[in-house]
Amino acid sequence: MKRFVIVWASLALMPVTASAVCAIEPLEPELDVAETVYVGTVVRSALIPSLDQLRSAATLHDRRAAIRHVVEPEIVFKGDPSTMGAVLSRWQYNDPKASRQAVFYELTTLMPGDTILVVADERGLAHYGLCTASRIWNKDTEKLVRAYFSSVP
C-alpha cells in the first residue's frame, strides 16, 4: 500500500499538458505569418446565428454561436485593416428555461469598448479566444508587439 501511495504521489507531481486551455501562446510566430496586425476598439458586436435559430437548436452543439465584432483600427503595425473582415469569437447559448446549462470556461468575452490586438491571416480572418494571437491590448501585449516590430527590418 505504501508503494502505491508513493507511485501515485510521484505521478501527481509530473507535469501534464492541457490542450484545451492555451491562454499563453508565443505571439512572435503568429506575427511573422500574419497578413494584418493592428490595435483597435470593438465598436459593435453581433450574434451569429440569430437568437431565434439558437433557441430552436436541438443539441448543445447546435447552440454554439459566433459573435462578429467590428473593430475600429487605431494603431496599424502591418497590412491594411480595411481589407479584412470582422473579428470572430465563440460563445454558447444557454436557454434560460432549460433544466441544464453548458459552461465552457475556455470561452472569452469580448465587448464593445474593449481594445484588442487584431492578428489576421492572409484570408483576412481574425479570431479572438484563449488560443488565438488576437488578444486584449494591455501593457504586456504592447511591450511584446512593439519590441517585435521595432526589430523587423
Side-chain angles (χ1 to χ4, degrees), residues 38-44 69-74 81 85-87 110 114 116 118:
Y38 69 94
V39 177
T41 301
V42 177
V43 294
R44 187 172 50 257
H69 306 280
V70 176
V71 180
E72 181 74 32
E74 296 183 39
V87 176
L110 186 60
D114 287 342
I116 64 169
V118 177

Side-chain angles (χ1 to χ4, degrees), residues 57-79:
T59 67
L60 281 177
H61 178 72
D62 295 334
R63 290 186 182 143
R64 290 187 306 174
I67 302 173
R68 184 179 188 276
H69 306 280
V70 176
V71 180
E72 181 74 32
E74 296 183 39
I75 304 169
V76 178
F77 290 101
K78 181 180 184 182

Side-chain angles (χ1 to χ4, degrees), residues 10-81:
S10 298
L11 289 173
L13 295 175
M14 292 179 68
V16 177
T17 304
S19 61
V21 178
C22 46
I24 301 174
E25 287 288 314
L27 188 56
E28 292 82 2
E30 299 291 335
L31 296 175
D32 282 338
V33 297
E35 186 70 25
T36 306
V37 179
Y38 69 94
V39 177
T41 301
V42 177
V43 294
R44 187 172 50 257
S45 299
L47 187 63
I48 306 169
S50 72
L51 187 55
D52 288 335
Q53 289 172 305
L54 291 170
R55 284 182 181 137
S56 63
T59 67
L60 281 177
H61 178 72
D62 295 334
R63 290 186 182 143
R64 290 187 306 174
I67 302 173
R68 184 179 188 276
H69 306 280
V70 176
V71 180
E72 181 74 32
E74 296 183 39
I75 304 169
V76 178
F77 290 101
K78 181 180 184 182
D80 181 5

